[in-house]
Amino acid sequence: MFTIIQAAGWPIWPLLICSVVALALVIERMMSLRPHLVAPEGLLEQALKASHDNLPSEEAMQQLHDHSVLGRILASGLHAMKDEPLISTEDLRSSMESAGRKAAHELEKHLVALATIASAAPLLGLLGTVIGMIDIFGSQAPGTSNPVQLAQGISIALYNTAFGLIIAIPALMFWRYLRGRVDAYVLGFELDAERFMRHLLAMRARLK
């Protein structure tokens, strides 16, 4: 591996840095987007049951808030109802939508950086290719021939092109996969929040 890095020249170092950063981002997002941390199965039903007759205690609402990302969205509706029992439909919806937007932003964290690496890696590989071509042309000066420099230029060009694609392709695939997971979670948030909001509005009607 070290021999390949030497043959690829200095342009390979930005690509190696991108590969390490991309791997770290993928691992971090895969760990953070696990279902039990984002939207545990059955959490909505538990929240509906806990608030069936009345608002749960402050401790219960805080536990729901700290439970998961979906829990924070549901807890925002409960807190809004506790602060203003006769809250309007628009204000309740606005409160939960704000929590939902914040949650979506949290899930999308680092995805922009991963997409940037997927787009930039082929360009960095192309930069290495151009530098390799410059070395090749430099070895072919009129009246001279430098086989060592020619071989070095070819190595730089080919290795950097290959490394750029090796990094970009998996990064793009993981970005699309993670983007799809986030979109699915956000859609689930919207459906669960809408159902929970109808439940809270029914509770508000009983309080009038």
Side-chain angles (χ1 to χ4, degrees), residues 49-113:
K49 184 178 179 180
S51 58
H52 182 267
D53 298 321
N54 207 339
L55 290 175
S57 64
E58 180 64 31
E59 181 182 359
M61 285 191 284
Q62 189 61 41
Q63 289 178 350
L64 177 63
H65 179 276
D66 298 337
H67 187 271
S68 61
V69 179
L70 176 59
R72 289 196 285 275
I73 298 174
L74 302 180
S76 68
L78 292 173
H79 281 114
M81 282 285 293
K82 181 178 180 181
D83 295 338
E84 189 178 349
L86 299 180
I87 187 172
S88 66
T89 303
E90 292 76 15
D91 290 342
L92 180 59
R93 184 184 299 275
S94 176
S95 176
M96 298 190 70
E97 285 180 350
S98 297
R101 285 193 295 270
K102 185 177 179 180
H105 179 73
E106 179 183 340
L107 297 184
E108 293 170 354
K109 184 173 65 173
H110 302 321
L111 290 186
V112 173

Side-chain angles (χ1 to χ4, degrees), residues 163-185:
F163 266 84
L165 294 175
I166 289 171
I167 294 168
I169 293 172
L172 179 61
M173 293 173 65
F174 274 108
W175 174 78
R176 288 189 176 276
Y177 169 72
L178 293 171
R179 179 76 260 178
R181 287 187 66 176
V182 170
D183 290 342
Y185 280 136

